[in-house]
Amino acid sequence: MKGSPCCPWLPIERTTKRASETELKPISDLGDNGRLIIDMSYVLVVRDKDGKVVEVKTGKAHSFLQNFMQILYGMFYAGTGSSPNASGNVVDLSGNSMEYPIMASAPGNTYLPLGFTITPSSSSAYIGIVVGSGSTTNSPSTYNLASPITNGSGSDQLTYGSQSINAVQCSNSTPYSCSFQVTRSFTNNGSSAVTVSEIGLVAETAVTSSSSGNTIDSVLIARDLVGSVTVNPGGSLTVTYVISLSIS
């Protein structure tokens, strides 16, 4: 099996479509020689209390959710039509339906900015890469991890570390590709082992609703089931999402 254009050590899945199937193929199927145009993979590295690597797991992420598409649609659509404001509908981590994005409709109005971030803040660790212990399969409307692991040093908790996002790297020869990585570590500072079976990406963004008005809220944009990895006391788990784009 050949590796990903951005990272040769990551596997790439190939599918064969029959001529009788619909001609309107998903974006992810439209590639040159079976290569995916947009691809996302994950890497999990488990270390023991001495920092020794005890397990490495890689896989293809099948994870972007309806929230991600609604945000993308809202960013593309905003500013058109009779109103330049909210046009996409997202569901926050609590299951509340919110409208996205919020933009100023006239000079002097104060609105929250267009866009979203996956960078954790000092006030909320549950932004960016998050982990959980659930095993429920995804649906397009999935809005949170099935069983989030909270930030802390108690039983069944992990300490959420800082997150890094590297710059976009592009190849200079064919096949052309560009990629970047998002990485975060989680440490078990408790006294018992913690099992991780799901990972995801939570974005913080500006939304609105009739009940809460304009506000900053958090929405899940990606989630993956990763089997089971065990983080023993004193050990850590490093999760990396690799997002790549093939250009042909």
Side-chain angles (χ1 to χ4, degrees), residues 116-134:
F116 65 93
T117 179
I118 59 169
T119 300
S121 65
S122 58
S123 61
S124 178
Y126 203 73
I127 298 171
I129 297 178
V130 296
V131 295
S133 58

Side-chain angles (χ1 to χ4, degrees), residues 148-227:
I149 294 174
T150 56
N151 176 40
S153 56
S155 178
D156 298 322
Q157 290 184 316
L158 292 173
T159 300
Y160 281 49
S162 60
Q163 181 174 272
S164 64
I165 304 177
N166 74 338
V168 173
Q169 303 288 326
C170 294
S171 62
N172 294 318
S173 59
T174 57
Y176 298 113
S177 64
C178 293
S179 66
F180 69 93
Q181 299 180 7
V182 185
T183 301
R184 192 175 196 181
S185 291
F186 305 82
T187 304
N188 185 351
N189 289 316
S191 58
S192 60
V194 176
T195 298
V196 173
S197 55
E198 56 180 333
I199 61 176
L201 280 173
V202 171
E204 188 176 61
T205 188
V207 293
T208 190
S209 72
S210 57
S211 60
S212 62
N214 301 338
T215 186
I216 294 288
D217 208 347
S218 299
V219 297
L220 184 72
I221 60 173
R223 175 179 177 264
D224 287 289
L225 297 176
V226 296

Side-chain angles (χ1 to χ4, degrees), residues 35-178:
R35 291 187 296 111
L36 298 178
I37 292 178
I38 299 178
D39 190 20
M40 185 158 79
S41 300
Y42 60 81
V43 184
L44 309 180
V45 179
V46 182
R47 292 178 170 84
D48 64 15
K49 61 183 178 60
D50 298 317
K52 179 182 177 181
V53 175
V54 295
E55 183 178 2
V56 177
K57 180 177 288 189
T58 66
K60 176 169 291 299
H62 300 277
S63 58
F64 282 122
L65 302 169
Q66 181 172 299
N67 273 341
F68 177 77
M69 293 301 293
Q70 290 286 356
I71 289 175
L72 191 62
Y73 165 73
M75 293 176 71
F76 279 21
Y77 185 86
T80 65
S82 58
S83 173
N85 293 315
S87 51
N89 294 292
V90 298
V91 179
D92 69 11
L93 297 175
S94 299
N96 301 312
S97 181
M98 311 291 284
E99 296 181 20
Y100 171 90
I102 301 302
M103 299 176 66
S105 59
N109 285 358
T110 301
Y111 283 82
L112 299 171
L114 173 67
F116 65 93
T117 179
I118 59 169
T119 300
S121 65
S122 58
S123 61
S124 178
Y126 203 73
I127 298 171
I129 297 178
V130 296
V131 295
S133 58
S135 59
T136 304
T137 57
N138 278 333
S139 72
S141 59
T142 295
Y143 61 83
N144 202 350
L145 298 186
S147 184
I149 294 174
T150 56
N151 176 40
S153 56
S155 178
D156 298 322
Q157 290 184 316
L158 292 173
T159 300
Y160 281 49
S162 60
Q163 181 174 272
S164 64
I165 304 177
N166 74 338
V168 173
Q169 303 288 326
C170 294
S171 62
N172 294 318
S173 59
T174 57
Y176 298 113
S177 64
C178 293

